[in-house]
Amino acid sequence: SMEPNFHAGDYLITSRQAYRLFGDPQRGDVIVFKSELLDENEKPKNLIKRNIALPGETIEIKGGEVYIDGQMLQEDYLPGEAISGEMDAVTVPEGQLFVMGDNRNGSLDSRSSLVGIIDNRLVVGHVIFRLFPISRFGTL
């Protein structure tokens, strides 16, 4: 759901303290959070997504583009394909985040009732570094 920026098998360093020490998640941050989805062992799954809308902001999708408070969001990290489908305007409640995968047409994220808008308390950490593959080694 995060391709082409992240792939299955990437080794990432996630800071569990980043938001406790340096403030709340920001738009564009790649975060790991607890979900109600279950893995193959019937245990809750952690998901990796990009934070798109912050508490109090209104997000909508029209014409294949994401709009925050009526302004089209510039997303240079995306592969360039338009998002299929539309989404009516939704205001993100206080203490919550609207997250989306970078592979917008193949991501289970806040647009789905299976994930939904997530509570800040479910955030495990901020993805800050990629260890592997070596060819993509570095800070994010």
Side-chain angles (χ1 to χ4, degrees):
S1 70
M2 290 297 288
E3 290 181 357
N5 298 312
F6 299 92
H7 300 273
D10 283 4
Y11 284 74
L12 306 171
I13 301 285
T14 302
S15 172
R16 293 180 181 264
Q17 299 300 320
Y19 298 126
R20 290 184 188 104
L21 298 174
F22 304 112
D24 295 327
Q26 300 299 305
R27 180 177 302 101
D29 286 357
V30 176
I31 63 172
V32 174
F33 62 95
K34 298 174 187 174
S35 77
E36 293 183 9
L37 300 175
L38 302 177
D39 66 15
E40 60 278 351
N41 297 317
E42 300 297 316
K43 296 190 181 201
K45 215 178 197 184
N46 284 346
L47 300 178
I48 179 173
K49 303 290 178 193
R50 192 173 300 273
N51 188 32
I52 300 298
L54 304 169
E57 293 181 331
T58 299
I59 180 170
E60 66 182 313
I61 299 172
K62 58 185 178 181
E65 301 290 346
V66 175
Y67 289 82
I68 305 290
D69 294 335
Q71 299 292 315
M72 188 171 79
L73 184 60
Q74 297 299 317
E75 299 182 281
D76 299 334
Y77 44 81
L78 292 181
E81 61 192 47
I83 302 169
S84 61
E86 307 271 318
M87 185 184 86
D88 291 336
V90 173
T91 300
V92 179
E94 286 304 314
Q96 299 191 6
L97 303 168
F98 193 100
V99 298
M100 295 172 77
D102 289 353
N103 178 1
R104 298 290 163 79
N105 294 321
S107 177
L108 191 59
D109 51 39
S110 289
R111 296 171 290 170
S112 164
S113 61
L114 294 173
V115 175
I117 298 174
I118 66 162
D119 191 293
N120 261 345
R121 294 173 292 192
L122 297 176
V123 175
V124 173
H126 179 199
V127 177
I128 58 172
F129 201 85
R130 183 187 341 254
L131 289 174
F132 186 82
I134 298 298
S135 62
R136 299 186 73 198
F137 179 87
T139 58
L140 304 171

